[in-house]
Amino acid sequence: DTYDIYEFHFFNMHPASTSAFGFQVNGVEQSGYNEVMMTQTSRTQNREDRSGTSYGYDGALDQSDAQAYQIMTKLTSSGDNDSHVSGILTTFAFGRNTTLYKNFYFKTLSMYDNDGSSESFQMVQGSGQIVNTRKVDDISFKFASGNIDSGFIKMYGISIS
């Protein structure tokens, strides 16, 4: 009826207006997409014109006992057709276990038009846990602006028993 591991692969997600891309979940019999999360992220960025590069911990994307959508990429521009985000979110014990917190990790790749003069390629990776023991039966992906202009998401279930 459920799987031990779920993977969500998202491809060429493009926002209707410039914003960050993230996810949030509901436990069984819960609503509102507001489960408490503890997360940690790092980010690599390279400007297309080679004028700058950076790598490191990005605390601005972390959550500490917070109920917001977990941001999986900084900003994705709506005005440029090659600005998008693709990636993988892997979840553990979301549908089966009721004695453990629910763990996850993600990696995203995105292109963002910073200022109209130089685009940046970003890789964001992170991990965390949903701080409750209820089964998770609902997940929501969205841009902070609320609208996904284009792209698609595929879900895969993996049994380990």
Side-chain angles (χ1 to χ4, degrees):
D1 70 322
T2 63
Y3 296 97
D4 300 292
I5 300 168
Y6 287 97
E7 278 198 353
F8 299 88
H9 295 223
F10 37 97
F11 303 90
N12 298 320
M13 305 298 289
H14 189 268
S17 58
T18 300
S19 61
F21 183 69
F23 81 98
Q24 182 50 280
V25 300
N26 281 330
V28 170
E29 297 180 8
Q30 302 297 307
S31 64
Y33 296 107
N34 57 2
E35 297 294 336
V36 174
M37 292 187 190
M38 297 281 294
T39 65
Q40 184 173 16
T41 57
S42 63
R43 182 169 62 105
T44 302
Q45 179 173 318
N46 294 294
R47 290 181 70 98
E48 190 173 57
D49 66 1
R50 298 187 190 115
S51 66
T53 183
S54 63
Y55 172 77
Y57 166 71
D58 191 341
L61 300 179
D62 288 358
Q63 295 194 68
S64 178
D65 287 331
Q67 296 174 298
Y69 271 68
Q70 175 58 45
I71 300 303
M72 295 188 290
T73 187
K74 279 288 217 188
L75 292 176
T76 304
S77 176
S78 63
D80 194 354
N81 284 334
D82 69 349
S83 292
H84 66 279
V85 60
S86 296
I88 298 173
L89 167 66
T90 304
T91 68
F92 302 90
F94 269 37
R96 287 197 173 181
N97 197 306
T98 57
T99 59
L100 301 174
Y101 287 166
K102 311 306 179 223
N103 296 306
F104 61 86
Y105 67 87
F106 61 87
K107 182 182 282 188
T108 62
L109 303 171
S110 63
M111 180 69 80
Y112 174 66
D113 183 1
N114 286 320
D115 53 17
S117 64
S118 179
E119 295 181 326
S120 288
F121 174 77
Q122 301 176 67
M123 179 181 73
V124 177
Q125 50 193 358
S127 61
Q129 61 185 197
I130 309 299
V131 185
N132 74 49
T133 57
R134 287 186 298 273
K135 291 180 182 180
V136 170
D137 67 348
D138 205 4
I139 188 164
S140 171
F141 293 94
K142 76 174 187 177
F143 284 98
S145 64
N147 295 319
I148 297 174
D149 186 47
S150 63
F152 60 96
I153 301 171
K154 293 194 175 251
M155 179 181 79
Y156 301 93
I158 302 166
S159 287
I160 56 175
S161 53

